[in-house]
Amino acid sequence: GKYPVTNFEYREFLLDSQYAELPTSWEFRRYPLEKSNHPVFTVSSAAADAYAAWLSQKTGRAFRLPSEAEWEYAAAGPDGLEFPWGNEYEPDFANTVETGIFSTTPVGIFIEGCSPFGVADMAGNVEEYVLDPYAAYSHGQFINDHLVQLNGDYRVARGGCFSRLRDLARTRRRHGRNPASQTYAMGFRLAEEV
């Protein structure tokens, strides 16, 4: 997907499917009309998978979350860039802590931050679940880090977010949800089987 899934799109899914998981970022369990075109966040990976299954059923197409490798290629391009726009961090190209916004922004407004393929918001705004659970890279070492210790198995997230520093916005950076912290703004985007 060119953009992460928005609050509006997630609301349509909730209304049509009767799925029960409201984002905890929707204060007082109220749909944030003023943030309709902002990415949905504070949802589980199971909700992201359910959204993809629902959209597939509604459209007759085959949607899913991107694999970790697909996500990284879409973000870094064939040259393996450090950030979607290049190898140096640019504070005005992504919604990370460095902007001082400390909230989501409408999808696609950081135009200079698009990847070589024109995919928006792959650095900052919301962290994005991918299809894969955390595992060592092939020929790599499994790292028993704090997320493994907190979660056991967990779904990988990529891209960083508005509440995290630029380090997590690097295209190669792997991370996941920390249930002990409110600073993880977990959202998602879709891929399509063609």
Side-chain angles (χ1 to χ4, degrees):
K2 184 171 182 174
Y3 307 108
V5 171
T6 65
N7 285 309
F8 176 80
E9 292 165 327
Y10 192 82
R11 177 179 180 265
E12 293 299 302
F13 155 66
L14 292 176
L15 292 173
D16 188 64
S17 70
Q18 300 299 303
Y19 194 77
E21 185 180 325
L22 290 178
T24 58
S25 59
W26 290 8
E27 292 182 23
F28 306 110
R29 301 176 54 86
R30 178 191 68 83
Y31 168 65
L33 179 63
E34 69 284 0
K35 293 186 175 185
S36 295
N37 199 33
H38 290 226
V40 68
F41 72 103
T42 63
V43 295
S44 66
S45 59
D49 291 336
Y51 179 93
W54 166 80
L55 189 60
S56 296
Q57 186 273 326
K58 290 294 286 185
T59 62
R61 296 162 64 184
F63 292 105
R64 59 173 171 75
L65 273 63
S67 72
E68 192 173 7
E70 290 168 335
W71 190 99
E72 187 171 322
Y73 186 73
D79 295 328
L81 299 172
E82 188 72 14
F83 297 97
W85 54 83
N87 289 317
E88 299 298 322
Y89 182 75
E90 298 289 344
D92 296 329
F93 286 15
N95 182 7
T96 59
V97 163
E98 288 81 4
T99 67
I101 297 170
F102 301 111
S103 183
T104 57
T105 50
V107 297
I109 68 165
F110 288 87
I111 297 166
E112 298 90 351
C114 287
S115 80
F117 301 108
V119 183
D121 293 345
M122 297 203 82
N125 220 359
V126 296
E127 300 191 36
E128 299 176 12
Y129 287 117
V130 295
L131 195 57
D132 306 299
Y134 174 72
Y137 284 132
S138 118
H139 303 99
Q141 179 182 357
F142 183 85
I143 306 296
N144 187 10
D145 66 7
H146 71 288
L147 291 177
V148 172
Q149 293 164 17
L150 281 169
N151 298 310
D153 292 334
Y154 69 89
R155 189 75 70 92
V156 172
R158 304 295 292 265
C161 65
F162 69 85
S163 62
R164 307 292 287 170
L165 294 167
R166 68 185 183 204
D167 176 61
L168 287 183
R170 292 182 298 120
T171 58
R172 292 178 198 87
R173 188 68 154 80
R174 308 170 83 197
H175 42 100
R177 182 176 173 271
N178 181 344
S181 173
Q182 294 299 314
T183 62
Y184 288 78
M186 307 303 288
F188 63 99
R189 77 175 64 229
L190 298 179
E192 182 181 6
E193 296 284 345
V194 291

